Amino acid sequence: MQSLKDGINSIREEIKETAVSNAEQLEQFRIKFLGTKGKLKGLMGEMKNVAKDQKREAGQMLNEFKQFAEGRFEELKAQFKTNVTSDGDAATDASLPPLPNETGARHPLSTVQEKMISIFERIGFTVAEGPEIEDDWHNFSALNLPEHHPARDMQDTFFISKDPDWVLRTHTSSVQIRTMEKGVLPIRQIFPGRVYRNETISARAHCFFHQVEGLYIDEKVSFADLKQTLYHFVQQMFGEDVQVRFRPSYFPFTEPSAEMDVSCFICDSKGCSVCKHTGWVEILGCGMVHPNVLKNTGIDPEKYSGFAFGMGVDRTTMLMYGINDIRLLSENDIRFLKQFK
Ligand code: DAH
């Protein structure tokens, strides 16, 4: 009996001291003191230890305490005018204005990347991914990047460790190597993902960005296949009327190599700040896979040939949505993201 009394007194004090300032705390209060596993139920369980002749008194005490606890709950509830009933069900009050239903939105980078992916999927490419932390072989050596090539310079590459070299991949071309090494031919795949470069962060450059890489290897793949595939891609991506031009370029892993420009879709090639008044914007690098790269991955260059390409997702996203600062794409400022609903 004494322990029941002590229990009631201490819980009463606890209830008095419990401050509640929102509906969630009110619900916690209910669970803690009045719930099916709450303290009041605990006290009731102690009735069985009370001597027979004291049961009546103990019952009255408990009853009085129960009323106190429930009364306190009602008081607190009235304070917030919530719809929580004493048994915890949230009742619906149809007269209340609806709560705002905040839905999320796709990130513009995801939207553009998914559009790129789906265009290639429809012409038979599948999607694969590779690790963002790469060894020297997959990021550089196997891609025919000679040891003193400037792209290996500390300026561009984030090193995780030296000797053996582990880097944050500087391009998604590393995933080409991983796929070719598996030795399953033909290959018709695209590789989306994040890449890293040790750049000074500004409105135009970031230390990480996103690429979609493509690779097609089979017997008798020609430069004409490369052109036709990419031509199809840009028409789907930017519209039927888009013009393209290929400029000769250099990449260690392709021979010949090219860069592809599309007619500026912002100003219709009339000349604007985006195309720097040239009427053209560069969107990707491409070329025929270098025989050394095929050899490095155990593919016979006498029998197989292929093309590869790599494009930036961030720049295209900025162009398509008129975003003028690349940093906005990774800052997760809700005011920016809300515009893409
Ligand atoms: N890896 C190159 C870069 O990051 C882009 C690239 C160019 C990828 C030509 C390719 C390619 O697959 O064939 O700038």
Side-chain angles (χ1 to χ4, degrees):
M1 182 70 169
Q2 191 55 41
S3 86
L4 183 65
K5 258 189 199 158
D6 292 345
I8 288 176
N9 286 337
S10 90
I11 296 170
R12 191 192 302 272
E13 285 313 304
E14 215 181 320
I15 287 179
K16 282 184 189 159
E17 277 164 25
T18 305
V20 168
S21 54
N22 58 38
E24 195 183 316
Q25 287 175 1
L26 179 67
E27 174 62 357
Q28 278 163 10
F29 177 101
R30 187 193 65 77
I31 293 168
K32 182 171 175 188
F33 296 110
L34 305 173
T36 44
K37 289 180 185 155
K39 298 206 171 193
L40 182 64
K41 275 274 149 57
L43 287 175
M44 289 181 165
E46 289 202 23
M47 275 295 274
K48 63 179 181 301
N49 304 325
V50 175
K52 232 183 184 164
D53 56 341
Q54 292 181 320
K55 279 224 191 304
R56 195 182 144 86
E57 193 193 336
Q60 275 170 354
M61 245 163 49
L62 267 176
N63 240 340
E64 181 274 327
F65 178 67
K66 182 168 179 249
Q67 275 166 16
F68 161 77
E70 286 176 348
R72 181 75 190 133
F73 176 77
E74 291 301 322
E75 257 173 58
L76 292 169
K77 196 171 97 176
Q79 213 173 301
F80 311 112
K81 298 194 181 70
T82 67
N83 288 326
V84 183
T85 58
S86 61
D87 61 1
D89 288 334
T92 309
D93 180 349
S95 67
L96 287 175
L99 292 170
N101 187 9
E102 292 273 0
T103 50
R106 279 215 175 281
H107 194 283
L109 277 177
S110 305
T111 306
V112 171
Q113 181 176 298
E114 272 171 30
K115 184 165 182 192
M116 291 173 169
I117 291 174
S118 74
I119 293 170
F120 286 105
E121 276 182 333
R122 271 180 270 142
I123 53 171
F125 282 73
T126 55
V127 180
E129 287 183 5
E132 292 182 10
I133 297 176
E134 267 298 6
D135 51 28
D136 179 275
W137 171 254
H138 292 93
N139 197 76
F140 296 128
S141 301
L143 283 160
N144 199 34
L145 265 123
E147 211 176 308
H148 299 291
H149 193 279
R152 286 177 160 233
D153 198 297
M154 289 290 285
Q155 295 242 311
D156 294 320
T157 309
F158 284 118
F159 285 86
I160 300 273
S161 75
K162 282 296 252 174
D163 239 359
D165 284 0
W166 284 91
V167 302
L168 292 180
R169 68 179 177 197
T170 58
H171 50 187
T172 42
S173 305
S174 53
V175 195
Q176 286 186 29
I177 302 300
R178 294 195 169 268
T179 303
M180 287 190 265
E181 280 174 341
K182 290 193 183 126
V184 184
L185 294 162
I187 297 167
R188 205 187 306 160
Q189 275 196 316
I190 48 170
F191 317 110
R194 183 174 283 184
V195 302
Y196 300 83
R197 302 228 183 132
N198 194 355
E199 302 251 10
T200 308
I201 297 171
S202 70
R204 295 183 62 83
H206 212 300
C207 59
F208 62 80
F209 51 100
H210 304 81
Q211 293 185 329
V212 171
E213 186 90 11
L215 178 68
Y216 182 21
I217 297 184
D218 203 345
E219 294 179 32
K220 301 196 182 79
V221 176
S222 70
F223 202 90
D225 297 320
L226 161 68
K227 285 178 81 173
Q228 194 52 44
T229 306
L230 293 179
Y231 194 53
H232 170 79
F233 166 72
V234 293
Q235 281 190 323
Q236 297 285 312
M237 190 78 198
F238 304 110
E240 298 274 307
D241 298 332
V242 72
Q243 302 290 308
V244 300
R245 71 176 186 188
F246 286 84
R247 282 178 290 105
S249 184
Y250 170 75
F251 299 103
F253 30 89
T254 44
E255 180 59 36
S257 304
E259 278 168 296
M260 193 172 102
D261 300 342
V262 293
S263 48
C264 184
F265 44 86
I266 303 289
C267 64
D268 243 347
S269 295
K270 292 192 182 72
C272 66
S273 63
V274 169
C275 61
K276 300 203 194 87
H277 300 280
T278 63
W280 297 96
V281 279
E282 182 206 319
I283 62 153
L284 57 82
C286 59
M288 301 304 293
V289 179
H290 197 291
N292 286 350
V293 175
L294 295 173
K295 273 187 231 155
N296 285 342
T297 54
I299 296 173
D300 180 0
E302 300 296 329
K303 187 168 177 208
Y304 289 98
S305 57
F307 66 75
F309 56 88
M311 60 184 118
V313 182
D314 304 61
R315 228 170 71 87
T316 306
T317 305
M318 290 167 72
L319 292 176
M320 290 178 78
Y321 289 100
I323 298 164
N324 58 11
D325 190 326
I326 193 171
R327 289 169 290 199
L328 287 166
L329 294 173
S330 52
E331 279 169 354
N332 280 341
D333 184 330
I334 198 79
R335 292 165 303 178
F336 170 74
L337 296 174
K338 269 186 170 171
Q339 298 175 69
F340 300 95
K341 280 193 181 179

